[in-house]
Amino acid sequence: STQDPGYKELIATCKVPPPAPGARAGGAGARQGGPAAAAPTTFPPPPAEYNVTEIPGVIAAGAKWTKVWEVSGNNADGILSDKDGNLLIAQNHNAAVVKLDRSSKASVVYKDTHTGGALSLNKKGELFIVERGLRANVTQLTPKRQILADKQQNGDPLDCIGGVINDLTADSKGGVYFTMGGLFHADSKGVVRRYGENLQTNGVILSADEKTLYVTNAGSVAAFDVQADGSLTNQREFVKLPTPGGDGLTIDSQNRLYVTAGPNLHVVAPDGKLLGTIPAPYGLITAALAGQNKKTMYAVVSLIDPDRLQHAYVYSIPMVASGYPGRAK
C-alpha cells in the first residue's frame, strides 16, 4: 500500500497518522522476501552447504531439501496445506492464490486478492488472506468472499497503523490474529484490537488447542495466553532463537513450533525447549507441513537477481513429524 500513488492521500485522512519510517515501535516490517544485501553477480547464488542431523520424532539425519517450484516476482508467501495436502501459495505481485499439487503442478485457485500476502485456514474450513494493497485488510476467501476487517476501532483504515500487513492465523470462532508493525486481533465482527508491548512482529500462529498464541519478535518468539473472548494476556518470551531474524511459524501434530530464521528452520518443543535446527541451502521466509499425511515440510526461498528482480522458490524436505490435522495454520 505504501507504494500506491493514493497512499499519501489516504494517510492524510488518519485521525492517528502512522509513525515515520524507522520510528515504528512495532518493529520489523512485512516479509518482503528478498535479502537486504547487494544482489549477487552469479544468479542464482550457489546453495550453502548444509548437513541435517537427526531430531528424534521430527526429521531423519541426512534429509535433503529439494526445489519443487519456482516463479519470478514476489509471488510465493504465506503458504499452507489445503484439506487434501496440496500447498496453497499467496502471490503478492500476481494478486492471486496458487495451488501446488503433489506432482508440483501449479494452478490459480483465487484471483484479484489485492496483493494478497499470507493465508490461514481455521478448523471450520474458513480460509483467510491478508491483502497488502492500498486499504489493507483481512479478507475471508471461503466459504463466502468478504472483507473481515479493514479499519481500526477509531475508524481509521488499517493503513494508518503504518508498515505492511504481514501474517495471520485464524481462530475457530471466525476471528483472525494478524501482524502489522505489531500484533492485532480481528474478531468475527471485524473489531480490531492491538496487543503486546515492545514487539518486532512477523510470523504468528495459534497452538493446536488455541490456548496459546505465538509471534516472532526479532531474535525470539513471544507467547500469549488466549482468553475465551480472543483477548491476549501474559506476554512472555517463549524461546530465544539461536539465529536472528525470526520470520514464519508453523506447528506439527505434537504442537512443536517451527520457526524460519535465515537459512534455518528451528524446532521448539511445546515447553519452549529448542530441540534442534534444520539447516537449509538458502534463507527461508515461511514454512508449512503439507503433502500426503502432512509429512513433507515446504518452505519458501526468495532471491534477488543482478537486475534487482525478485524470484521465489518452493523447497521441500521429508519429515518424520506430521502436520497438525485440525487446522492448516
Side-chain angles (χ1 to χ4, degrees):
S1 63
T2 57
Q3 299 173 23
D4 191 286
Y7 179 75
K8 289 184 178 180
E9 182 179 354
L10 179 63
I11 295 305
T13 69
C14 298
K15 298 180 184 71
V16 181
R24 295 188 182 100
R31 181 186 298 132
Q32 294 298 306
T41 54
T42 300
F43 190 85
E49 293 185 6
Y50 67 95
N51 179 43
V52 175
T53 57
E54 181 188 16
I55 303 175
V58 174
I59 195 167
K64 295 293 184 183
W65 291 94
T66 301
K67 184 177 72 174
V68 296
W69 189 66
E70 64 180 274
V71 63
S72 61
N74 185 8
N75 281 317
D77 202 354
I79 59 176
L80 55 76
S81 173
D82 70 7
K83 61 183 179 61
D84 298 318
N86 302 305
L87 193 70
L88 298 181
I89 305 168
Q91 295 199 307
N92 273 243
H93 289 163
N94 290 347
V97 176
V98 165
K99 178 177 75 175
L100 192 68
D101 68 19
R102 297 180 195 174
S103 63
S104 299
K105 180 181 178 181
S107 58
V108 176
V109 289
Y110 298 99
K111 296 180 179 180
D112 303 321
T113 62
H114 194 48
T115 318
L119 297 157
S120 186
L121 186 72
N122 69 15
K123 291 181 179 180
K124 297 188 293 184
E126 297 169 335
L127 180 64
F128 295 86
I129 190 169
V130 291
E131 298 194 336
R132 296 175 177 167
L134 191 66
R135 296 193 177 274
N137 66 80
V138 179
T139 284
Q140 179 182 305
L141 291 174
T142 58
K144 180 181 179 181
R145 191 158 181 172
Q146 58 188 347
I147 292 177
L148 172 68
D150 61 358
K151 293 181 177 63
Q152 302 175 65
Q153 282 186 285
N154 66 357
D156 275 351
L158 295 184
D159 307 71
C160 297
I161 294 169
V164 179
I165 193 167
N166 193 357
D167 203 358
L168 78 166
T169 184
D171 64 32
S172 57
K173 298 177 181 179
V176 167
Y177 297 90
F178 65 94
T179 56
M180 187 174 182
L183 176 61
F184 300 83
H185 178 243
D187 67 17
S188 60
K189 296 180 180 179
V191 178
V192 174
R193 292 180 173 85
R194 185 170 191 158
Y195 294 98
E197 303 271 343
N198 300 315
L199 289 174
Q200 299 182 50
T201 61
N202 205 322
V204 62
I205 197 164
L206 284 161
S207 62
D209 61 10
E210 299 193 12
K211 293 182 179 180
T212 307
L213 182 113
Y214 306 103
V215 62
T216 51
N217 186 22
S220 65
V221 175
F224 294 80
D225 294 335
V226 181
Q227 305 305 304
D229 62 357
S231 60
L232 301 176
T233 61
N234 189 27
Q235 178 180 339
R236 59 200 180 274
E237 184 176 271
F238 178 67
V239 64
K240 187 77 171 178
L241 300 175
T243 58
D247 197 331
L249 299 173
T250 193
I251 58 170
D252 67 15
S253 60
Q254 301 303 307
N255 211 36
R256 288 177 288 238
L257 185 69
Y258 297 77
V259 190
T260 62
N264 306 286
L265 185 62
H266 301 305
V267 186
V268 188
D271 63 0
K273 178 183 177 183
L274 184 68
L275 298 175
T277 295
I278 303 170
Y282 297 101
L284 309 176
I285 63 172
T286 183
L289 285 153
Q292 186 172 5
N293 299 319
K294 286 191 174 182
K295 292 184 72 70
T296 300
M297 182 68 76
Y298 291 85
V300 174
V301 171
S302 193
L303 301 172
I304 306 296
D305 71 18
D307 294 322
R308 308 304 300 173
L309 300 176
Q310 196 166 341
H311 301 261
Y313 307 82
V314 175
Y315 278 74
S316 71
I317 193 168
M319 302 289 287
V320 175
S322 58
Y324 174 57
R327 188 188 74 241
K329 182 183 177 187

CSV table of all heavy atoms in Angstrom, one decimal, residues 116-145:
chain,number,residue,atom,x,y,z
A,116,GLY,N,-2.4,-10.0,-2.1
A,116,GLY,CA,-2.6,-11.0,-1.0
A,116,GLY,C,-1.2,-11.5,-0.6
A,116,GLY,O,-0.4,-11.9,-1.4
A,117,GLY,N,-1.0,-11.5,0.7
A,117,GLY,CA,0.3,-11.9,1.2
A,117,GLY,C,0.5,-13.1,2.1
A,117,GLY,O,1.6,-13.6,2.2
A,118,ALA,N,-0.5,-13.6,2.8
A,118,ALA,CA,-0.4,-14.7,3.6
A,118,ALA,C,-1.8,-15.3,3.8
A,118,ALA,O,-2.8,-14.6,3.7
A,118,ALA,CB,0.2,-14.3,5.0
A,119,LEU,N,-1.8,-16.6,4.1
A,119,LEU,CA,-3.0,-17.4,4.2
A,119,LEU,C,-3.2,-18.1,5.5
A,119,LEU,O,-2.2,-18.5,6.1
A,119,LEU,CB,-3.1,-18.4,3.1
A,119,LEU,CG,-3.1,-17.9,1.6
A,119,LEU,CD1,-2.6,-19.0,0.7
A,119,LEU,CD2,-4.5,-17.5,1.2
A,120,SER,N,-4.4,-18.3,6.0
A,120,SER,CA,-4.7,-19.1,7.1
A,120,SER,C,-6.1,-19.8,7.0
A,120,SER,O,-7.0,-19.1,6.5
A,120,SER,CB,-4.6,-18.3,8.4
A,120,SER,OG,-4.7,-19.2,9.5
A,121,LEU,N,-6.2,-21.0,7.4
A,121,LEU,CA,-7.4,-21.8,7.3
A,121,LEU,C,-7.7,-22.3,8.7
A,121,LEU,O,-6.9,-22.9,9.4
A,121,LEU,CB,-7.2,-23.0,6.4
A,121,LEU,CG,-8.4,-23.9,6.1
A,121,LEU,CD1,-9.3,-23.2,5.1
A,121,LEU,CD2,-7.9,-25.2,5.4
A,122,ASN,N,-9.0,-21.9,9.2
A,122,ASN,CA,-9.3,-22.3,10.6
A,122,ASN,C,-10.0,-23.7,10.6
A,122,ASN,O,-10.1,-24.4,9.6
A,122,ASN,CB,-10.2,-21.3,11.2
A,122,ASN,CG,-11.6,-21.2,10.6
A,122,ASN,OD1,-12.0,-22.0,9.9
A,122,ASN,ND2,-12.3,-20.1,10.9
A,123,LYS,N,-10.3,-24.2,11.8
A,123,LYS,CA,-10.9,-25.5,12.0
A,123,LYS,C,-12.2,-25.7,11.3
A,123,LYS,O,-12.6,-26.9,11.0
A,123,LYS,CB,-11.0,-25.8,13.5
A,123,LYS,CG,-9.7,-25.9,14.2
A,123,LYS,CD,-9.9,-26.2,15.7
A,123,LYS,CE,-8.6,-26.4,16.4
A,123,LYS,NZ,-8.8,-26.7,17.9
A,124,LYS,N,-12.9,-24.6,11.0
A,124,LYS,CA,-14.2,-24.7,10.3
A,124,LYS,C,-14.1,-24.7,8.8
A,124,LYS,O,-15.1,-24.8,8.1
A,124,LYS,CB,-15.1,-23.6,10.8
A,124,LYS,CG,-15.4,-23.7,12.3
A,124,LYS,CD,-16.5,-22.6,12.6
A,124,LYS,CE,-16.0,-21.2,12.5
A,124,LYS,NZ,-17.0,-20.2,13.0
A,125,GLY,N,-12.8,-24.6,8.3
A,125,GLY,CA,-12.6,-24.6,6.9
A,125,GLY,C,-12.7,-23.2,6.2
A,125,GLY,O,-12.8,-23.1,5.0
A,126,GLU,N,-12.7,-22.2,7.1
A,126,GLU,CA,-12.8,-20.8,6.5
A,126,GLU,C,-11.4,-20.4,6.2
A,126,GLU,O,-10.5,-20.4,7.1
A,126,GLU,CB,-13.4,-19.9,7.6
A,126,GLU,CG,-14.9,-20.2,7.9
A,126,GLU,CD,-15.4,-19.5,9.1
A,126,GLU,OE1,-14.6,-19.1,9.9
A,126,GLU,OE2,-16.7,-19.3,9.2
A,127,LEU,N,-11.2,-19.9,5.0
A,127,LEU,CA,-9.9,-19.5,4.5
A,127,LEU,C,-9.8,-18.0,4.5
A,127,LEU,O,-10.7,-17.3,4.0
A,127,LEU,CB,-9.6,-20.0,3.1
A,127,LEU,CG,-8.3,-19.7,2.4
A,127,LEU,CD1,-7.1,-20.4,3.2
A,127,LEU,CD2,-8.3,-20.2,1.0
A,128,PHE,N,-8.7,-17.5,5.1
A,128,PHE,CA,-8.5,-16.0,5.2
A,128,PHE,C,-7.1,-15.6,4.5
A,128,PHE,O,-6.2,-16.4,4.4
A,128,PHE,CB,-8.4,-15.6,6.6
A,128,PHE,CG,-9.7,-15.7,7.3
A,128,PHE,CD1,-10.1,-16.9,8.0
A,128,PHE,CD2,-10.7,-14.7,7.4
A,128,PHE,CE1,-11.3,-17.1,8.6
A,128,PHE,CE2,-11.9,-14.9,8.1
A,128,PHE,CZ,-12.2,-16.1,8.7
A,129,ILE,N,-7.1,-14.4,4.1
A,129,ILE,CA,-5.8,-13.8,3.5
A,129,ILE,C,-5.7,-12.4,3.9
A,129,ILE,O,-6.7,-11.7,4.2
A,129,ILE,CB,-5.9,-13.9,1.9
A,129,ILE,CG1,-4.6,-13.6,1.3
A,129,ILE,CG2,-7.0,-13.0,1.4
A,129,ILE,CD1,-4.5,-13.9,-0.2
A,130,VAL,N,-4.4,-12.0,4.1
A,130,VAL,CA,-4.2,-10.5,4.3
A,130,VAL,C,-3.9,-9.9,3.0
A,130,VAL,O,-3.1,-10.4,2.2
A,130,VAL,CB,-3.0,-10.3,5.3
A,130,VAL,CG1,-3.4,-10.7,6.7
A,130,VAL,CG2,-1.7,-11.0,4.9
A,131,GLU,N,-4.5,-8.8,2.7
A,131,GLU,CA,-4.4,-8.1,1.4
A,131,GLU,C,-3.6,-6.8,1.7
A,131,GLU,O,-4.0,-5.9,2.4
A,131,GLU,CB,-5.7,-7.8,0.8
A,131,GLU,CG,-6.5,-9.1,0.5
A,131,GLU,CD,-7.7,-8.9,-0.4
A,131,GLU,OE1,-8.3,-7.7,-0.4
A,131,GLU,OE2,-8.1,-9.8,-1.0
A,132,ARG,N,-2.4,-6.7,1.0
A,132,ARG,CA,-1.4,-5.7,1.3
A,132,ARG,C,-1.5,-4.4,0.4
A,132,ARG,O,-0.7,-3.5,0.5
A,132,ARG,CB,0.0,-6.3,1.2
A,132,ARG,CG,0.2,-7.4,2.2
A,132,ARG,CD,1.6,-8.1,1.9
A,132,ARG,NE,1.8,-9.1,3.0
A,132,ARG,CZ,2.8,-10.0,2.9
A,132,ARG,NH1,3.6,-10.0,1.8
A,132,ARG,NH2,3.0,-10.9,3.9
A,133,GLY,N,-2.5,-4.4,-0.5
A,133,GLY,CA,-2.6,-3.2,-1.3
A,133,GLY,C,-3.2,-2.0,-0.5
A,133,GLY,O,-3.5,-2.1,0.7
A,134,LEU,N,-3.4,-0.9,-1.2
A,134,LEU,CA,-4.0,0.3,-0.5
A,134,LEU,C,-5.3,-0.1,0.0
A,134,LEU,O,-6.1,-0.8,-0.6
A,134,LEU,CB,-4.1,1.4,-1.5
A,134,LEU,CG,-4.5,2.8,-0.9
A,134,LEU,CD1,-3.3,3.3,-0.1
A,134,LEU,CD2,-4.8,3.8,-2.0
A,135,ARG,N,-5.6,0.4,1.2
A,135,ARG,CA,-6.7,0.0,2.1
A,135,ARG,C,-6.5,-1.5,2.4
A,135,ARG,O,-7.4,-2.4,2.1
A,135,ARG,CB,-8.1,0.2,1.4
A,135,ARG,CG,-8.3,1.7,1.2
A,135,ARG,CD,-9.8,2.1,0.9
A,135,ARG,NE,-9.9,3.5,0.8
A,135,ARG,CZ,-10.2,4.3,1.8
A,135,ARG,NH1,-10.3,3.8,3.1
A,135,ARG,NH2,-10.4,5.6,1.7
A,136,ALA,N,-5.4,-1.7,3.1
A,136,ALA,CA,-5.1,-3.1,3.6
A,136,ALA,C,-6.2,-3.7,4.4
A,136,ALA,O,-6.9,-3.0,5.1
A,136,ALA,CB,-3.8,-3.0,4.4
A,137,ASN,N,-6.3,-5.0,4.3
A,137,ASN,CA,-7.4,-5.7,5.0
A,137,ASN,C,-7.2,-7.1,5.3
A,137,ASN,O,-6.2,-7.7,4.7
A,137,ASN,CB,-8.7,-5.5,4.3
A,137,ASN,CG,-8.7,-6.2,2.9
A,137,ASN,OD1,-8.9,-7.4,2.9
A,137,ASN,ND2,-8.4,-5.5,1.9
A,138,VAL,N,-8.0,-7.7,6.1
A,138,VAL,CA,-8.1,-9.2,6.2
A,138,VAL,C,-9.4,-9.6,5.5
A,138,VAL,O,-10.5,-9.1,5.9
A,138,VAL,CB,-8.1,-9.6,7.7
A,138,VAL,CG1,-8.3,-11.1,7.8
A,138,VAL,CG2,-6.9,-9.1,8.5
A,139,THR,N,-9.2,-10.5,4.5
A,139,THR,CA,-10.4,-10.9,3.8
A,139,THR,C,-10.6,-12.4,4.0
A,139,THR,O,-9.7,-13.2,4.0
A,139,THR,CB,-10.2,-10.6,2.3
A,139,THR,OG1,-10.4,-9.2,2.0
A,139,THR,CG2,-11.1,-11.4,1.4
A,140,GLN,N,-11.9,-12.8,4.1
A,140,GLN,CA,-12.3,-14.2,4.1
A,140,GLN,C,-12.5,-14.6,2.6
A,140,GLN,O,-13.3,-14.0,1.9
A,140,GLN,CB,-13.5,-14.4,4.9
A,140,GLN,CG,-14.0,-15.9,4.9
A,140,GLN,CD,-15.3,-16.0,5.7
A,140,GLN,OE1,-15.4,-15.6,6.9
A,140,GLN,NE2,-16.3,-16.6,5.1
A,141,LEU,N,-11.8,-15.7,2.2
A,141,LEU,CA,-11.9,-16.2,0.8
A,141,LEU,C,-13.0,-17.2,0.7
A,141,LEU,O,-13.7,-17.3,-0.3
A,141,LEU,CB,-10.6,-16.7,0.3
A,141,LEU,CG,-9.5,-15.7,0.1
A,141,LEU,CD1,-8.2,-16.4,-0.3
A,141,LEU,CD2,-9.8,-14.7,-1.0
A,142,THR,N,-13.2,-18.1,1.7
A,142,THR,CA,-14.2,-19.1,1.7
A,142,THR,C,-14.8,-19.3,3.1
A,142,THR,O,-14.1,-19.0,4.1
A,142,THR,CB,-13.6,-20.5,1.2
A,142,THR,OG1,-12.5,-20.9,2.1
A,142,THR,CG2,-13.1,-20.5,-0.2
A,143,PRO,N,-16.0,-19.7,3.2
A,143,PRO,CA,-16.9,-20.1,2.2
A,143,PRO,C,-17.6,-18.9,1.4
A,143,PRO,O,-18.1,-19.1,0.4
A,143,PRO,CB,-18.0,-20.9,2.9
A,143,PRO,CG,-18.0,-20.4,4.3
A,143,PRO,CD,-16.6,-20.0,4.6
A,144,LYS,N,-17.5,-17.7,2.0
A,144,LYS,CA,-18.0,-16.5,1.4
A,144,LYS,C,-16.9,-15.5,1.3
A,144,LYS,O,-16.2,-15.3,2.3
A,144,LYS,CB,-19.2,-16.0,2.2
A,144,LYS,CG,-19.8,-14.7,1.6
A,144,LYS,CD,-20.9,-14.2,2.5
A,144,LYS,CE,-21.5,-12.9,2.0
A,144,LYS,NZ,-22.6,-12.4,2.8
A,145,ARG,N,-16.7,-14.9,0.2
A,145,ARG,CA,-15.7,-13.9,0.0
A,145,ARG,C,-16.2,-12.6,0.5
A,145,ARG,O,-17.1,-12.0,-0.1
A,145,ARG,CB,-15.2,-13.9,-1.5
A,145,ARG,CG,-14.0,-13.1,-1.7
A,145,ARG,CD,-13.3,-13.4,-3.0
A,145,ARG,NE,-12.1,-12.7,-3.1
A,145,ARG,CZ,-11.2,-12.9,-4.1
A,145,ARG,NH1,-11.4,-13.9,-5.0
A,145,ARG,NH2,-10.1,-12.2,-4.2
